Amino acid sequence: MSRAGSEHAIRVWLAELAWSPALGLRAEVLIEAAGDRFTAVTPDVEQAPADAVRLAGLTMPGLANAHSHAFHRALRGITQASRGTFWTWRERMYEVADRLDPDSYLDLATATYAEMALAGVSCVGEFHYLHHGAGGTPYDDPNQMGRAMIEAASRAGVRITLLDTCYLSGGLAADGRQQPLEGPQLRFGDADSAAWAARVDALGADANGALGPYARAGAAVHSVRAVPPGQMPEVVAWSHRYGAPLHAHLSEQVAENRACLAAHRATPAEVLGAAGALGPRSTAVHATHLTSSDIGLLGGLRCHVCLCPTTEADLADGIGPARAMADAGSPLTLGSDSQAVIDLLEEARRVELGERLASSERGHFTAAELATAATEAGHASLGWPDAGELVPGGLADFCTVALDSPRTAGASAATALESVIFAASATDIRHLVVGGREVVADGRHLLVPDVPAALAAAIAAVHR
Ligand SMILES: [Zn+2]
């Protein structure tokens, strides 16, 4: 209930159960916010104020989707009807990329981010490389596509970190030669990393990388396949200038490692490390096929690792060494990546279940560790260190998961987090609040009234 009509309205909720990394699991938690920040989080409240909104179920920080390519949502299902490999899937992905323009991408990304909001996602890291028009011709505003992503997140009510991606070459041949961009890839490219940096500067971020209260700028090196090592330091320097996150796809495929070794006599992690691209503000996405020395390198530099287990399963990538990377010092985060599904709870449990399948043993990650990856760590990796916790002063972003759905009914209070992480799904998200504002209430999106219709229309427009 709002006690004032302004943007500084004081809001009060009473969570039946609440969990966050620092709070742990607590009952009868009074959550208060003014404007976009929590002002108090008080467990074991016996008498709640009369105007407190009761949140039945388990309330937790909003989920951070740390790795997204919004347009891949248009591929869902279609790519399941055929056989093939990561590389044949990539051809289908390029066909969709080739058809989008700023208007159709705005519609598709708005609907996709609205699906994320319904899944409890309060912040998305958009790994954005579809920059230019046909043949690589820049739009009048060369950041028009990136601005469309920011507008889409705003319309869907979620925070965004636009990870503007440097993408300069078409790949590494098996003999290690860097290949030119061709076909749809031409839309991804900039002349070189200096041109990339000049274009991203023109986004207009402030000295801290902020593009507004709900949007930030970040950088990405697409991969060692797409950026020659000599071009990486410029991207790293840009990220340091703004204190911004720096993400990179890393060792998703064995073929990438092979080509990188042939070209540079070093693993992809070693190439990124030598360019200064790995550190506590960095995220290595996938990190599926690492040497033990790579694991030590990433962990020693406190580099985040973003696991995208449903995509990695969907694309037959493999199972990354999650426990070993966490033990080495890398905070783990989660992403929906190819949007094969959008369900951060499934991503979270698959980290543990992948380890079980690979090791024939149970119990590698606790539910709290997996939930931390989906919340606090994910936000930190996207440049929002004051989100992802239910704590006074933190950004007032949270979601509530039903404990009375067919999947979660019968959950006991003591193991409610285990029930949510190991059995709940995106459809069990009841509420989402971002910056103190309700975005999803009782399972309904309040800003995009019919999310399935918006998705259907946007996807049909791409395939028309
Ligand atoms: Zn990706």
Side-chain angles (χ1 to χ4, degrees), residues 101-139:
D101 62 32
D103 289 337
S104 60
Y105 201 5
L106 173 61
D107 291 344
L108 178 57
T110 300
T112 302
Y113 295 157
E115 181 186 352
M116 290 182 194
L118 289 173
V121 171
S122 55
C123 184
V124 60
E126 179 64 30
F127 198 104
H128 169 62
Y129 51 79
L130 187 48
H131 298 123
H132 304 299
T137 307
Y139 292 107

PDB file of all heavy atoms in Angstrom, residues 101-139:
ATOM      1  N   ASP A 101      14.994  -5.214 -37.441  1.00  0.00           N
ATOM      2  CA  ASP A 101      15.336  -3.799 -37.511  1.00  0.00           C
ATOM      3  C   ASP A 101      14.990  -3.192 -36.147  1.00  0.00           C
ATOM      4  O   ASP A 101      14.452  -3.889 -35.284  1.00  0.00           O
ATOM      5  CB  ASP A 101      14.602  -3.122 -38.682  1.00  0.00           C
ATOM      6  CG  ASP A 101      13.093  -3.180 -38.533  1.00  0.00           C
ATOM      7  OD1 ASP A 101      12.590  -3.150 -37.388  1.00  0.00           O
ATOM      8  OD2 ASP A 101      12.406  -3.268 -39.573  1.00  0.00           O
ATOM      9  N   PRO A 102      15.312  -1.917 -35.941  1.00  0.00           N
ATOM     10  CA  PRO A 102      15.087  -1.359 -34.588  1.00  0.00           C
ATOM     11  C   PRO A 102      13.646  -1.482 -34.105  1.00  0.00           C
ATOM     12  O   PRO A 102      13.410  -1.718 -32.920  1.00  0.00           O
ATOM     13  CB  PRO A 102      15.521   0.098 -34.753  1.00  0.00           C
ATOM     14  CG  PRO A 102      16.576   0.056 -35.821  1.00  0.00           C
ATOM     15  CD  PRO A 102      16.096  -0.989 -36.788  1.00  0.00           C
ATOM     16  N   ASP A 103      12.675  -1.345 -34.998  1.00  0.00           N
ATOM     17  CA  ASP A 103      11.272  -1.437 -34.557  1.00  0.00           C
ATOM     18  C   ASP A 103      10.891  -2.875 -34.195  1.00  0.00           C
ATOM     19  O   ASP A 103      10.293  -3.121 -33.152  1.00  0.00           O
ATOM     20  CB  ASP A 103      10.328  -0.919 -35.654  1.00  0.00           C
ATOM     21  CG  ASP A 103      10.433   0.590 -35.815  1.00  0.00           C
ATOM     22  OD1 ASP A 103      10.858   1.254 -34.853  1.00  0.00           O
ATOM     23  OD2 ASP A 103      10.100   1.091 -36.907  1.00  0.00           O
ATOM     24  N   SER A 104      11.245  -3.822 -35.077  1.00  0.00           N
ATOM     25  CA  SER A 104      10.844  -5.207 -34.797  1.00  0.00           C
ATOM     26  C   SER A 104      11.639  -5.764 -33.621  1.00  0.00           C
ATOM     27  O   SER A 104      11.126  -6.571 -32.841  1.00  0.00           O
ATOM     28  CB  SER A 104      11.006  -6.090 -36.040  1.00  0.00           C
ATOM     29  OG  SER A 104      12.336  -6.111 -36.494  1.00  0.00           O
ATOM     30  N   TYR A 105      12.889  -5.268 -33.458  1.00  0.00           N
ATOM     31  CA  TYR A 105      13.657  -5.759 -32.314  1.00  0.00           C
ATOM     32  C   TYR A 105      13.143  -5.161 -31.009  1.00  0.00           C
ATOM     33  O   TYR A 105      13.135  -5.825 -29.977  1.00  0.00           O
ATOM     34  CB  TYR A 105      15.154  -5.485 -32.499  1.00  0.00           C
ATOM     35  CG  TYR A 105      16.037  -6.397 -31.644  1.00  0.00           C
ATOM     36  CD1 TYR A 105      15.483  -7.427 -30.886  1.00  0.00           C
ATOM     37  CD2 TYR A 105      17.418  -6.236 -31.607  1.00  0.00           C
ATOM     38  CE1 TYR A 105      16.272  -8.263 -30.107  1.00  0.00           C
ATOM     39  CE2 TYR A 105      18.222  -7.065 -30.830  1.00  0.00           C
ATOM     40  CZ  TYR A 105      17.636  -8.075 -30.082  1.00  0.00           C
ATOM     41  OH  TYR A 105      18.418  -8.896 -29.315  1.00  0.00           O
ATOM     42  N   LEU A 106      12.668  -3.923 -31.066  1.00  0.00           N
ATOM     43  CA  LEU A 106      12.064  -3.330 -29.863  1.00  0.00           C
ATOM     44  C   LEU A 106      10.869  -4.173 -29.408  1.00  0.00           C
ATOM     45  O   LEU A 106      10.734  -4.505 -28.223  1.00  0.00           O
ATOM     46  CB  LEU A 106      11.619  -1.888 -30.143  1.00  0.00           C
ATOM     47  CG  LEU A 106      10.817  -1.200 -29.038  1.00  0.00           C
ATOM     48  CD1 LEU A 106      11.626  -1.093 -27.747  1.00  0.00           C
ATOM     49  CD2 LEU A 106      10.355   0.187 -29.489  1.00  0.00           C
ATOM     50  N   ASP A 107      10.022  -4.559 -30.355  1.00  0.00           N
ATOM     51  CA  ASP A 107       8.844  -5.365 -29.994  1.00  0.00           C
ATOM     52  C   ASP A 107       9.251  -6.732 -29.444  1.00  0.00           C
ATOM     53  O   ASP A 107       8.709  -7.193 -28.444  1.00  0.00           O
ATOM     54  CB  ASP A 107       7.953  -5.573 -31.230  1.00  0.00           C
ATOM     55  CG  ASP A 107       7.283  -4.277 -31.670  1.00  0.00           C
ATOM     56  OD1 ASP A 107       7.260  -3.320 -30.875  1.00  0.00           O
ATOM     57  OD2 ASP A 107       6.802  -4.236 -32.825  1.00  0.00           O
ATOM     58  N   LEU A 108      10.220  -7.372 -30.124  1.00  0.00           N
ATOM     59  CA  LEU A 108      10.627  -8.714 -29.693  1.00  0.00           C
ATOM     60  C   LEU A 108      11.297  -8.664 -28.323  1.00  0.00           C
ATOM     61  O   LEU A 108      11.023  -9.503 -27.448  1.00  0.00           O
ATOM     62  CB  LEU A 108      11.568  -9.316 -30.740  1.00  0.00           C
ATOM     63  CG  LEU A 108      12.136 -10.704 -30.434  1.00  0.00           C
ATOM     64  CD1 LEU A 108      11.024 -11.718 -30.204  1.00  0.00           C
ATOM     65  CD2 LEU A 108      13.053 -11.178 -31.580  1.00  0.00           C
ATOM     66  N   ALA A 109      12.165  -7.672 -28.114  1.00  0.00           N
ATOM     67  CA  ALA A 109      12.876  -7.597 -26.831  1.00  0.00           C
ATOM     68  C   ALA A 109      11.928  -7.208 -25.701  1.00  0.00           C
ATOM     69  O   ALA A 109      12.039  -7.719 -24.584  1.00  0.00           O
ATOM     70  CB  ALA A 109      14.031  -6.596 -26.929  1.00  0.00           C
ATOM     71  N   THR A 110      10.958  -6.324 -25.986  1.00  0.00           N
ATOM     72  CA  THR A 110       9.984  -5.958 -24.952  1.00  0.00           C
ATOM     73  C   THR A 110       9.224  -7.204 -24.487  1.00  0.00           C
ATOM     74  O   THR A 110       9.071  -7.446 -23.283  1.00  0.00           O
ATOM     75  CB  THR A 110       8.993  -4.901 -25.488  1.00  0.00           C
ATOM     76  OG1 THR A 110       9.725  -3.737 -25.888  1.00  0.00           O
ATOM     77  CG2 THR A 110       7.971  -4.524 -24.425  1.00  0.00           C
ATOM     78  N   ALA A 111       8.756  -7.984 -25.443  1.00  0.00           N
ATOM     79  CA  ALA A 111       7.990  -9.191 -25.090  1.00  0.00           C
ATOM     80  C   ALA A 111       8.878 -10.204 -24.369  1.00  0.00           C
ATOM     81  O   ALA A 111       8.451 -10.860 -23.411  1.00  0.00           O
ATOM     82  CB  ALA A 111       7.380  -9.801 -26.356  1.00  0.00           C
ATOM     83  N   THR A 112      10.125 -10.327 -24.819  1.00  0.00           N
ATOM     84  CA  THR A 112      11.047 -11.284 -24.188  1.00  0.00           C
ATOM     85  C   THR A 112      11.373 -10.859 -22.758  1.00  0.00           C
ATOM     86  O   THR A 112      11.378 -11.678 -21.833  1.00  0.00           O
ATOM     87  CB  THR A 112      12.332 -11.388 -25.027  1.00  0.00           C
ATOM     88  OG1 THR A 112      11.981 -11.804 -26.354  1.00  0.00           O
ATOM     89  CG2 THR A 112      13.303 -12.397 -24.433  1.00  0.00           C
ATOM     90  N   TYR A 113      11.628  -9.573 -22.564  1.00  0.00           N
ATOM     91  CA  TYR A 113      11.914  -9.092 -21.207  1.00  0.00           C
ATOM     92  C   TYR A 113      10.671  -9.184 -20.322  1.00  0.00           C
ATOM     93  O   TYR A 113      10.774  -9.376 -19.110  1.00  0.00           O
ATOM     94  CB  TYR A 113      12.439  -7.654 -21.236  1.00  0.00           C
ATOM     95  CG  TYR A 113      13.778  -7.488 -21.936  1.00  0.00           C
ATOM     96  CD1 TYR A 113      14.165  -6.256 -22.454  1.00  0.00           C
ATOM     97  CD2 TYR A 113      14.673  -8.553 -22.071  1.00  0.00           C
ATOM     98  CE1 TYR A 113      15.394  -6.082 -23.090  1.00  0.00           C
ATOM     99  CE2 TYR A 113      15.893  -8.393 -22.710  1.00  0.00           C
ATOM    100  CZ  TYR A 113      16.250  -7.156 -23.224  1.00  0.00           C
ATOM    101  OH  TYR A 113      17.455  -6.984 -23.855  1.00  0.00           O
ATOM    102  N   ALA A 114       9.484  -9.027 -20.933  1.00  0.00           N
ATOM    103  CA  ALA A 114       8.256  -9.203 -20.146  1.00  0.00           C
ATOM    104  C   ALA A 114       8.133 -10.658 -19.694  1.00  0.00           C
ATOM    105  O   ALA A 114       7.721 -10.936 -18.560  1.00  0.00           O
ATOM    106  CB  ALA A 114       7.046  -8.783 -20.966  1.00  0.00           C
ATOM    107  N   GLU A 115       8.504 -11.601 -20.573  1.00  0.00           N
ATOM    108  CA  GLU A 115       8.521 -13.015 -20.149  1.00  0.00           C
ATOM    109  C   GLU A 115       9.492 -13.187 -18.982  1.00  0.00           C
ATOM    110  O   GLU A 115       9.219 -13.907 -18.028  1.00  0.00           O
ATOM    111  CB  GLU A 115       8.904 -13.932 -21.317  1.00  0.00           C
ATOM    112  CG  GLU A 115       8.901 -15.403 -20.898  1.00  0.00           C
ATOM    113  CD  GLU A 115       9.413 -16.377 -21.961  1.00  0.00           C
ATOM    114  OE1 GLU A 115       9.651 -15.953 -23.101  1.00  0.00           O
ATOM    115  OE2 GLU A 115       9.587 -17.564 -21.608  1.00  0.00           O
ATOM    116  N   MET A 116      10.643 -12.503 -19.074  1.00  0.00           N
ATOM    117  CA  MET A 116      11.611 -12.593 -17.968  1.00  0.00           C
ATOM    118  C   MET A 116      11.006 -12.054 -16.672  1.00  0.00           C
ATOM    119  O   MET A 116      11.175 -12.644 -15.600  1.00  0.00           O
ATOM    120  CB  MET A 116      12.886 -11.825 -18.324  1.00  0.00           C
ATOM    121  CG  MET A 116      13.707 -12.495 -19.409  1.00  0.00           C
ATOM    122  SD  MET A 116      15.221 -11.565 -19.744  1.00  0.00           S
ATOM    123  CE  MET A 116      15.714 -12.350 -21.297  1.00  0.00           C
ATOM    124  N   ALA A 117      10.321 -10.926 -16.761  1.00  0.00           N
ATOM    125  CA  ALA A 117       9.716 -10.345 -15.551  1.00  0.00           C
ATOM    126  C   ALA A 117       8.741 -11.335 -14.928  1.00  0.00           C
ATOM    127  O   ALA A 117       8.724 -11.522 -13.706  1.00  0.00           O
ATOM    128  CB  ALA A 117       9.015  -9.027 -15.895  1.00  0.00           C
ATOM    129  N   LEU A 118       7.940 -11.989 -15.761  1.00  0.00           N
ATOM    130  CA  LEU A 118       7.002 -12.988 -15.234  1.00  0.00           C
ATOM    131  C   LEU A 118       7.742 -14.142 -14.580  1.00  0.00           C
ATOM    132  O   LEU A 118       7.181 -14.859 -13.748  1.00  0.00           O
ATOM    133  CB  LEU A 118       6.098 -13.514 -16.360  1.00  0.00           C
ATOM    134  CG  LEU A 118       5.052 -12.536 -16.882  1.00  0.00           C
ATOM    135  CD1 LEU A 118       4.348 -13.112 -18.108  1.00  0.00           C
ATOM    136  CD2 LEU A 118       4.027 -12.194 -15.799  1.00  0.00           C
ATOM    137  N   ALA A 119       9.001 -14.345 -14.955  1.00  0.00           N
ATOM    138  CA  ALA A 119       9.837 -15.398 -14.368  1.00  0.00           C
ATOM    139  C   ALA A 119      10.649 -14.887 -13.173  1.00  0.00           C
ATOM    140  O   ALA A 119      11.543 -15.581 -12.700  1.00  0.00           O
ATOM    141  CB  ALA A 119      10.762 -15.978 -15.443  1.00  0.00           C
ATOM    142  N   GLY A 120      10.362 -13.673 -12.701  1.00  0.00           N
ATOM    143  CA  GLY A 120      11.031 -13.155 -11.509  1.00  0.00           C
ATOM    144  C   GLY A 120      12.314 -12.398 -11.771  1.00  0.00           C
ATOM    145  O   GLY A 120      13.007 -11.992 -10.839  1.00  0.00           O
ATOM    146  N   VAL A 121      12.638 -12.177 -13.048  1.00  0.00           N
ATOM    147  CA  VAL A 121      13.885 -11.486 -13.395  1.00  0.00           C
ATOM    148  C   VAL A 121      13.684  -9.971 -13.240  1.00  0.00           C
ATOM    149  O   VAL A 121      12.800  -9.399 -13.868  1.00  0.00           O
ATOM    150  CB  VAL A 121      14.310 -11.824 -14.842  1.00  0.00           C
ATOM    151  CG1 VAL A 121      15.469 -10.941 -15.289  1.00  0.00           C
ATOM    152  CG2 VAL A 121      14.682 -13.304 -14.939  1.00  0.00           C
ATOM    153  N   SER A 122      14.502  -9.352 -12.400  1.00  0.00           N
ATOM    154  CA  SER A 122      14.417  -7.906 -12.201  1.00  0.00           C
ATOM    155  C   SER A 122      15.532  -7.178 -12.931  1.00  0.00           C
ATOM    156  O   SER A 122      15.502  -5.951 -13.049  1.00  0.00           O
ATOM    157  CB  SER A 122      14.487  -7.569 -10.709  1.00  0.00           C
ATOM    158  OG  SER A 122      15.646  -8.130 -10.137  1.00  0.00           O
ATOM    159  N   CYS A 123      16.529  -7.911 -13.438  1.00  0.00           N
ATOM    160  CA  CYS A 123      17.682  -7.284 -14.094  1.00  0.00           C
ATOM    161  C   CYS A 123      18.226  -8.226 -15.155  1.00  0.00           C
ATOM    162  O   CYS A 123      18.438  -9.414 -14.884  1.00  0.00           O
ATOM    163  CB  CYS A 123      18.754  -6.996 -13.044  1.00  0.00           C
ATOM    164  SG  CYS A 123      20.193  -6.129 -13.690  1.00  0.00           S
ATOM    165  N   VAL A 124      18.438  -7.685 -16.353  1.00  0.00           N
ATOM    166  CA  VAL A 124      18.951  -8.512 -17.448  1.00  0.00           C
ATOM    167  C   VAL A 124      20.273  -7.932 -17.954  1.00  0.00           C
ATOM    168  O   VAL A 124      20.431  -6.719 -18.070  1.00  0.00           O
ATOM    169  CB  VAL A 124      17.915  -8.627 -18.597  1.00  0.00           C
ATOM    170  CG1 VAL A 124      17.563  -7.266 -19.175  1.00  0.00           C
ATOM    171  CG2 VAL A 124      18.411  -9.563 -19.703  1.00  0.00           C
ATOM    172  N   GLY A 125      21.210  -8.815 -18.236  1.00  0.00           N
ATOM    173  CA  GLY A 125      22.444  -8.443 -18.907  1.00  0.00           C
ATOM    174  C   GLY A 125      22.307  -8.808 -20.371  1.00  0.00           C
ATOM    175  O   GLY A 125      22.317  -9.991 -20.728  1.00  0.00           O
ATOM    176  N   GLU A 126      22.133  -7.795 -21.210  1.00  0.00           N
ATOM    177  CA  GLU A 126      21.920  -8.058 -22.640  1.00  0.00           C
ATOM    178  C   GLU A 126      23.260  -7.997 -23.364  1.00  0.00           C
ATOM    179  O   GLU A 126      23.853  -6.933 -23.503  1.00  0.00           O
ATOM    180  CB  GLU A 126      20.928  -7.056 -23.229  1.00  0.00           C
ATOM    181  CG  GLU A 126      20.653  -7.246 -24.723  1.00  0.00           C
ATOM    182  CD  GLU A 126      19.973  -8.576 -25.059  1.00  0.00           C
ATOM    183  OE1 GLU A 126      19.206  -9.107 -24.220  1.00  0.00           O
ATOM    184  OE2 GLU A 126      20.224  -9.097 -26.164  1.00  0.00           O
ATOM    185  N   PHE A 127      23.709  -9.139 -23.823  1.00  0.00           N
ATOM    186  CA  PHE A 127      24.975  -9.278 -24.543  1.00  0.00           C
ATOM    187  C   PHE A 127      24.661  -8.926 -25.994  1.00  0.00           C
ATOM    188  O   PHE A 127      24.209  -9.765 -26.767  1.00  0.00           O
ATOM    189  CB  PHE A 127      25.451 -10.715 -24.374  1.00  0.00           C
ATOM    190  CG  PHE A 127      26.903 -10.975 -24.663  1.00  0.00           C
ATOM    191  CD1 PHE A 127      27.812 -11.155 -23.623  1.00  0.00           C
ATOM    192  CD2 PHE A 127      27.360 -11.125 -25.964  1.00  0.00           C
ATOM    193  CE1 PHE A 127      29.148 -11.457 -23.880  1.00  0.00           C
ATOM    194  CE2 PHE A 127      28.699 -11.422 -26.224  1.00  0.00           C
ATOM    195  CZ  PHE A 127      29.587 -11.586 -25.173  1.00  0.00           C
ATOM    196  N   HIS A 128      24.891  -7.649 -26.321  1.00  0.00           N
ATOM    197  CA  HIS A 128      24.268  -7.055 -27.505  1.00  0.00           C
ATOM    198  C   HIS A 128      25.287  -6.858 -28.633  1.00  0.00           C
ATOM    199  O   HIS A 128      26.210  -6.059 -28.512  1.00  0.00           O
ATOM    200  CB  HIS A 128      23.666  -5.709 -27.104  1.00  0.00           C
ATOM    201  CG  HIS A 128      23.218  -4.874 -28.256  1.00  0.00           C
ATOM    202  ND1 HIS A 128      22.232  -5.283 -29.127  1.00  0.00           N
ATOM    203  CD2 HIS A 128      23.616  -3.645 -28.694  1.00  0.00           C
ATOM    204  CE1 HIS A 128      22.056  -4.352 -30.045  1.00  0.00           C
ATOM    205  NE2 HIS A 128      22.881  -3.351 -29.812  1.00  0.00           N
ATOM    206  N   TYR A 129      25.088  -7.583 -29.733  1.00  0.00           N
ATOM    207  CA  TYR A 129      26.015  -7.416 -30.861  1.00  0.00           C
ATOM    208  C   TYR A 129      25.311  -7.116 -32.186  1.00  0.00           C
ATOM    209  O   TYR A 129      25.970  -6.912 -33.200  1.00  0.00           O
ATOM    210  CB  TYR A 129      26.940  -8.633 -31.026  1.00  0.00           C
ATOM    211  CG  TYR A 129      26.246  -9.977 -31.069  1.00  0.00           C
ATOM    212  CD1 TYR A 129      25.629 -10.430 -32.216  1.00  0.00           C
ATOM    213  CD2 TYR A 129      26.249 -10.800 -29.943  1.00  0.00           C
ATOM    214  CE1 TYR A 129      25.002 -11.664 -32.256  1.00  0.00           C
ATOM    215  CE2 TYR A 129      25.627 -12.043 -29.975  1.00  0.00           C
ATOM    216  CZ  TYR A 129      25.002 -12.465 -31.129  1.00  0.00           C
ATOM    217  OH  TYR A 129      24.378 -13.684 -31.147  1.00  0.00           O
ATOM    218  N   LEU A 130      23.976  -7.064 -32.191  1.00  0.00           N
ATOM    219  CA  LEU A 130      23.249  -6.791 -33.440  1.00  0.00           C
ATOM    220  C   LEU A 130      23.122  -5.275 -33.599  1.00  0.00           C
ATOM    221  O   LEU A 130      22.093  -4.673 -33.323  1.00  0.00           O
ATOM    222  CB  LEU A 130      21.865  -7.466 -33.377  1.00  0.00           C
ATOM    223  CG  LEU A 130      21.003  -7.445 -34.636  1.00  0.00           C
ATOM    224  CD1 LEU A 130      21.796  -7.860 -35.867  1.00  0.00           C
ATOM    225  CD2 LEU A 130      19.817  -8.358 -34.452  1.00  0.00           C
ATOM    226  N   HIS A 131      24.235  -4.668 -34.010  1.00  0.00           N
ATOM    227  CA  HIS A 131      24.333  -3.217 -33.931  1.00  0.00           C
ATOM    228  C   HIS A 131      23.797  -2.465 -35.145  1.00  0.00           C
ATOM    229  O   HIS A 131      23.148  -1.446 -35.017  1.00  0.00           O
ATOM    230  CB  HIS A 131      25.807  -2.802 -33.762  1.00  0.00           C
ATOM    231  CG  HIS A 131      26.438  -3.314 -32.526  1.00  0.00           C
ATOM    232  ND1 HIS A 131      27.569  -4.094 -32.510  1.00  0.00           N
ATOM    233  CD2 HIS A 131      26.081  -3.188 -31.231  1.00  0.00           C
ATOM    234  CE1 HIS A 131      27.890  -4.392 -31.269  1.00  0.00           C
ATOM    235  NE2 HIS A 131      27.006  -3.865 -30.478  1.00  0.00           N
ATOM    236  N   HIS A 132      24.141  -2.958 -36.334  1.00  0.00           N
ATOM    237  CA  HIS A 132      23.995  -2.131 -37.535  1.00  0.00           C
ATOM    238  C   HIS A 132      22.939  -2.680 -38.489  1.00  0.00           C
ATOM    239  O   HIS A 132      22.429  -3.776 -38.293  1.00  0.00           O
ATOM    240  CB  HIS A 132      25.342  -2.007 -38.250  1.00  0.00           C
ATOM    241  CG  HIS A 132      26.426  -1.463 -37.355  1.00  0.00           C
ATOM    242  ND1 HIS A 132      26.349  -0.210 -36.787  1.00  0.00           N
ATOM    243  CD2 HIS A 132      27.577  -2.018 -36.892  1.00  0.00           C
ATOM    244  CE1 HIS A 132      27.428  -0.017 -36.026  1.00  0.00           C
ATOM    245  NE2 HIS A 132      28.180  -1.100 -36.075  1.00  0.00           N
ATOM    246  N   GLY A 133      22.673  -1.908 -39.521  1.00  0.00           N
ATOM    247  CA  GLY A 133      21.710  -2.320 -40.534  1.00  0.00           C
ATOM    248  C   GLY A 133      22.313  -3.327 -41.513  1.00  0.00           C
ATOM    249  O   GLY A 133      23.446  -3.789 -41.345  1.00  0.00           O
ATOM    250  N   ALA A 134      21.545  -3.626 -42.572  1.00  0.00           N
ATOM    251  CA  ALA A 134      21.952  -4.636 -43.545  1.00  0.00           C
ATOM    252  C   ALA A 134      23.332  -4.315 -44.106  1.00  0.00           C
ATOM    253  O   ALA A 134      23.644  -3.151 -44.397  1.00  0.00           O
ATOM    254  CB  ALA A 134      20.921  -4.703 -44.670  1.00  0.00           C
ATOM    255  N   GLY A 135      24.154  -5.345 -44.207  1.00  0.00           N
ATOM    256  CA  GLY A 135      25.489  -5.182 -44.774  1.00  0.00           C
ATOM    257  C   GLY A 135      26.454  -4.445 -43.865  1.00  0.00           C
ATOM    258  O   GLY A 135      27.573  -4.136 -44.252  1.00  0.00           O
ATOM    259  N   GLY A 136      26.001  -4.097 -42.656  1.00  0.00           N
ATOM    260  CA  GLY A 136      26.883  -3.420 -41.712  1.00  0.00           C
ATOM    261  C   GLY A 136      26.779  -1.912 -41.760  1.00  0.00           C
ATOM    262  O   GLY A 136      27.533  -1.207 -41.093  1.00  0.00           O
ATOM    263  N   THR A 137      25.811  -1.389 -42.560  1.00  0.00           N
ATOM    264  CA  THR A 137      25.639   0.067 -42.635  1.00  0.00           C
ATOM    265  C   THR A 137      25.062   0.577 -41.312  1.00  0.00           C
ATOM    266  O   THR A 137      24.010   0.107 -40.879  1.00  0.00           O
ATOM    267  CB  THR A 137      24.654   0.426 -43.770  1.00  0.00           C
ATOM    268  OG1 THR A 137      25.123  -0.203 -44.958  1.00  0.00           O
ATOM    269  CG2 THR A 137      24.579   1.936 -43.964  1.00  0.00           C
ATOM    270  N   PRO A 138      25.746   1.539 -40.673  1.00  0.00           N
ATOM    271  CA  PRO A 138      25.220   2.041 -39.397  1.00  0.00           C
ATOM    272  C   PRO A 138      23.879   2.746 -39.593  1.00  0.00           C
ATOM    273  O   PRO A 138      23.622   3.332 -40.647  1.00  0.00           O
ATOM    274  CB  PRO A 138      26.289   3.046 -38.937  1.00  0.00           C
ATOM    275  CG  PRO A 138      27.514   2.697 -39.717  1.00  0.00           C
ATOM    276  CD  PRO A 138      27.043   2.134 -41.014  1.00  0.00           C
ATOM    277  N   TYR A 139      23.025   2.677 -38.584  1.00  0.00           N
ATOM    278  CA  TYR A 139      21.808   3.489 -38.578  1.00  0.00           C
ATOM    279  C   TYR A 139      22.201   4.951 -38.365  1.00  0.00           C
ATOM    280  O   TYR A 139      23.334   5.247 -37.983  1.00  0.00           O
ATOM    281  CB  TYR A 139      20.862   3.016 -37.470  1.00  0.00           C
ATOM    282  CG  TYR A 139      20.297   1.641 -37.730  1.00  0.00           C
ATOM    283  CD1 TYR A 139      20.734   0.525 -37.010  1.00  0.00           C
ATOM    284  CD2 TYR A 139      19.319   1.445 -38.701  1.00  0.00           C
ATOM    285  CE1 TYR A 139      20.218  -0.736 -37.259  1.00  0.00           C
ATOM    286  CE2 TYR A 139      18.798   0.185 -38.959  1.00  0.00           C
ATOM    287  CZ  TYR A 139      19.250  -0.908 -38.233  1.00  0.00           C
ATOM    288  OH  TYR A 139      18.747  -2.142 -38.491  1.00  0.00           O
TER     289      TYR A 139
END
